[in-house]
Structures are given as structure tokens and as C-alpha cells.
Amino acid sequence: MVKILNVVGARPNFMKMAPIIAALKRRPNEVRQTLVHTGQHYDEAMSAAFFRDLRMPEPDIHLETRAGTHAQQTARVMLAFEEVLIAQQPDWVVVVGDVNSTIACALVASKLNVRIAHVEAGLRSFDRTMPEEINRVLTDQLADLLLTPSADADANLRREGIPVERIARVGNVMIDTLFQQLERARDSNILNELELSPREFAVLTLHRPSNVDDPESLRRICSALGEIALELPIVFPAHPRTKARMSEFGVSAPAGVRMVDPLGYLDFLRLWSNARLALTDSGGLQEETTALGVPCLTLRENTERPITIEQGTNRLVGTDPSRIISSAREALTNDASYAGRTPELWDGHAAKRIVEALIERAGGSSRGGSHQLQSMASLAT
Ligand code: UD1
């Protein structure tokens, strides 16, 4: 029996972990799984709504660490997770994505010599001012099994000296969730609630520190959005940090930009999949719009998901207002130029491949984990 400890912490983790949990559940004679929620995201709208929408089981263990500075958040997760790991003694810790909970738990597992599988390994923005980039690089250095979504991720890892035998290209697990939930999202009433007609609005997400923590860049982006909204109304489900920054800086949403509370998975899927255009600084939405062929303008100077530009419907437009406005106008007049294709292995079966890799490689030599865990356990008592 392979003991697997799955970790989630923040909103973008849930849609990556849900299909893995479901796929593990289909192998009851081979695996036993435990779900740990670090509590990095804790609001009903940022966490519980996703568990419901994605029909995820309640976490077995909740660390309730909550927000803080990066160091506080990472340290709190580490302290609480170390106790869990010593008690649970799993064969694998599975971490997903690039949030602070990901690196915190990977760091703890590596010191206890418990094997780490990193889902969504190998993505790189090459921008070390982004906290997520630090989390990606370090988690990948620590991981024993690097589960990648695309060939560019494999190449990044090879360049960083990761041995090829640790890398398994499994595809994009978030797209498993997308395909699984499309049908259910049709029942969402969000378009009626917001009185929107398909293709007659744009959708916006914005929460990166580089965009929203600096009053000047937030104002510049908002001025561009105000111009675009003269031609096409924009719906903006706002992240709590963005709302907090806007009120702190006295920046209000321009006319035509409708701020709403964060949406659950199904409502948000219904919303963006019916949008004429997505404007975003999120990583996940760049991939999701590529999978469904919705034109997407990414309001960042770089992306760790270049495949969405090379193959999909994403364009990197930066944060210069005139460039954002001209790119949006171009997208609205010539959306045929946004035709793309879905990348290889973004096929709805990534979770199955992840579970196969976990089971296949569980039998290999451990890093001496149980010995290390036992001596830690005796230290702790
Ligand atoms: C985190 C991730 C980011 C991801 C984003 C998606 C890191 C470094 N960043 O950023 O990669 O794209 O999640 O949402 O891990 N807050 C609430 N309620 C919540 C969660 C957060 O009010 O449920 C507020 C808190 O005031 C908190 C702030 O939002 O201080 C930011 O939350 P935090 O988890 O620190 O980072 P995110 O910006 O959400």
C-alpha cells in the first residue's frame, strides 16, 4: 500500500488536486491518501466554495495557518506540517503549483527525507522578483518526481541539472478539471445574475503583487481598463488582496468595469468561457483560455506558460496602458487571429498519468525516510 499525502493551500491548488484525488480513489487496493489543507486561503469564496464545486473531500487535516508576510506564512506552514509529516510517515508528499504552501511543505518533506512529487514542475517566468518563481525553482530542486505539463518545462528542468529520470511529462492536470466540469458549469446562473449575454463582455482578473501593490501601476492598468470598457463592458471578480489595495490607494473601478466578489469554480468557468476576451495576470487562466480557445491578454511582462502563446490564444501585452488598449482593440476587431490549438497532453487524462507515476515509482529506494522520520519522532517526544 502506497501512502500518499496530498497538500493544498491556496485557490489555484484546488483545481489541480481535485482530479488527482479522484484518480487515487480509483486505486483503493494500491494507495491510501490523506489530504492536508494548509489554510493559506481560508475565505469561503477562496477555499470552501472550491471544495464544494469540485466535489472534493473535506481535508483530513487542516493547519489553519492563514495569511501573513511571506516569511510568516511559510514558517507557520512549515511548523505545522512538520508535525503532520512525522505522525503520518507517508511514502509521498504531493505538492502542486507555486504558492507559498508548496515550497513550505516541500522544504519540510525534504529535511525529513520523505519523497516529494511536484505537479506542474518546470514552469519558469525567469523573473525572480515574483514570489512564485522562487517557489517553483526551489520546489523543483527538492522534488524527487517532477511531473511536468509540457516539453518546455522538461527543457527548463534539464537546464537546471535535474536528472532526466526524475522527470515525467504527464500533461496539464488543471485541464482535467476544466473538461470534467464544463457540463456542470452550464447550469450556473451567473450570466443571468449579472445580466450578461455570451460574447458581449470581457472578464478580468488581477492580483499579482507587481500589478496591484504599487499604486502607480494599479492606476495605470485601471486607466487602460476604463478605455476598453467604453467598447466592451468588463466583469471583474476581485481577489481580496486587490480589493484591499484599491481601497488603501483610493483607486476605484472605472465606469464600465464591474467589480464582483470572487466566484466559485463553476460560476467563473461559465463566465470566462462565454467572454469575448479575457484580461488577466493569473497563470491558470492563460492555460484555461488556451484549452477552450478564448482570446486572452496577459497583463504581465513575462509568463511561465509560453506554450499558451506559441500554441494557444494568449498574448503577453505587459502593463503599459497604450499597449493594453491597442491589443484589446486588435483582439476585438480580429479575433480570428487568436485561433490556437490545445497543447499535447492537455487531454483530460493527466491525473491518471500522475497516479501511475506515483505508484510505479513508490517501490524505488526511499531516501531513507522512515529512519529519518523515526528519529525525528523520538526527538519530538
Ligand atoms: C497566492 C499565491 C499566488 C496565487 C494566488 C491566487 C503565493 C506566493 N501566491 O497569492 O501565486 O496566484 O494565491 O489567489 O502563494 N486573503 C483573504 N482571504 C483568503 C486569502 C487571502 O482575505 O482566503 C487576503 C489576505 O489579506 C492576504 C492576501 O489576500 O494577505 C493575499 O493572500 P496570499 O495567500 O498571501 O497571497 P495571494 O495574493 O492570494
Side-chain angles (χ1 to χ4, degrees):
M1 189 66 80
V2 183
K3 280 175 72 177
I4 298 181
L5 202 142
N6 297 317
V7 176
V8 290
R11 184 170 64 177
N13 292 164
F14 306 134
M15 53 294 264
K16 294 166 196 166
M17 191 56 85
I20 299 173
I21 293 172
L24 286 169
K25 215 171 149 195
R26 287 193 280 275
R27 312 280 291 256
N29 299 326
E30 294 147 286
V31 295
R32 201 166 85 224
Q33 58 175 325
T34 304
L35 180 61
V36 176
H37 190 328
T38 67
Q40 178 177 342
H41 284 176
Y42 46 88
D43 280 357
E44 150 71 29
M46 300 293 286
S47 176
F50 285 80
F51 275 74
R52 273 198 308 280
D53 277 2
L54 303 175
R55 295 183 167 152
M56 289 171 73
E58 284 297 310
D60 300 291
I61 299 165
H62 209 304
L63 307 181
E64 308 204 348
T65 54
R66 299 229 167 183
T69 65
H70 285 272
Q72 287 166 345
Q73 197 174 60
T74 310
R76 276 191 219 129
V77 173
M78 287 181 71
L79 288 171
F81 188 64
E82 187 178 59
E83 285 181 27
V84 170
L85 211 49
I86 291 169
Q88 295 283 327
Q89 309 214 358
D91 297 298
W92 283 113
V93 166
V94 179
V95 292
V96 297
D98 56 16
V99 303
N100 285 342
S101 300
T102 310
I103 178 63
C105 294
L107 204 44
V108 172
S110 77
K111 296 290 180 73
L112 291 174
N113 286 321
V114 176
R115 274 188 286 178
I116 302 159
H118 183 208
V119 175
E120 201 187 83
L123 299 186
R124 296 290 180 270
S125 66
F126 302 101
D127 174 1
R128 294 212 177 181
T129 66
M130 289 178 74
E132 294 84 358
E133 183 72 356
I134 306 296
N135 295 343
R136 290 180 201 113
V137 170
L138 297 181
T139 304
D140 285 342
Q141 280 299 325
L142 299 175
D144 301 271
L145 174 58
L146 295 108
L147 299 151
T148 63
S150 48
D152 56 300
D154 298 18
N156 291 335
L157 295 173
R158 298 287 293 131
R159 213 179 305 117
E160 290 172 17
I162 306 280
V164 69
E165 24 339 318
R166 285 203 210 152
I167 304 171
R169 196 187 315 159
V170 291
N172 190 329
V173 76
M174 204 177 55
I175 305 304
D176 290 19
T177 298
L178 174 61
F179 291 164
Q180 278 162 22
Q181 303 299 340
L182 261 181
E183 195 56 44
R184 289 179 64 222
R186 292 205 177 95
D187 295 335
S188 155
N189 203 30
I190 193 72
L191 297 181
N192 292 336
E193 273 171 37
L194 299 176
E195 298 175 335
L196 296 167
S197 303
R199 312 281 159 225
E200 290 182 9
F201 64 94
V203 72
L204 165 73
T205 77
L206 201 65
H207 70 277
R208 291 279 157 208
S210 57
N211 282 340
V212 304
D213 285 1
D214 172 50
E216 211 31 56
S217 64
L218 188 56
R219 277 197 195 96
R220 278 156 57 84
I221 293 173
C222 282
S223 76
L225 296 169
E227 285 290 313
I228 298 167
L230 296 174
E231 292 166 43
L232 187 70
I234 298 174
V235 184
F236 177 22
H239 187 289
R241 77 175 292 130
T242 312
K243 270 195 210 160
R245 295 294 177 269
M246 287 178 77
S247 70
E248 191 183 319
F249 303 148
V251 176
S252 40
V257 177
R258 184 155 165 203
M259 253 171 109
V260 297
D261 286 334
L263 296 173
Y265 186 84
L266 295 169
D267 283 342
F268 189 55
L269 170 53
R270 177 89 176 137
L271 186 71
W272 70 257
S273 62
N274 280 284
R276 174 104 179 263
L277 178 67
L279 299 135
T280 192
D281 62 5
S282 133
L285 197 55
Q286 296 172 51
E287 297 183 333
E288 291 168 325
T289 48
T290 276
L292 293 193
V294 174
C296 177
L297 303 182
T298 294
L299 310 180
R300 286 173 45 190
E301 304 299 339
N302 51 55
T303 178
E304 59 288 335
R305 288 148 162 110
I307 198 168
T308 60
I309 296 172
E310 287 147 20
Q311 301 188 15
T313 48
N314 186 24
R315 303 266 164 96
L316 204 54
V317 301
T319 55
D320 175 60
S322 58
R323 178 135 179 249
I324 298 174
I325 295 165
S326 62
S327 304
R329 290 207 173 112
E330 203 262 331
L332 297 181
T333 47
N334 185 16
D335 58 1
S337 73
Y338 278 73
R341 64 189 161 93
T342 307
E344 197 191 348
L345 296 179
W346 294 24
D347 59 358
H349 302 293
K352 186 166 174 280
R353 292 187 283 268
I354 290 170
V355 169
E356 275 158 12
L358 288 170
I359 292 175
E360 251 167 47
R361 298 178 192 221
S365 65
S366 90
R367 295 206 222 156
S370 55
H371 169 72
Q372 181 78 0
L373 279 165
Q374 270 153 22
S375 49
M376 289 300 292
S378 54
L379 268 181
T381 48

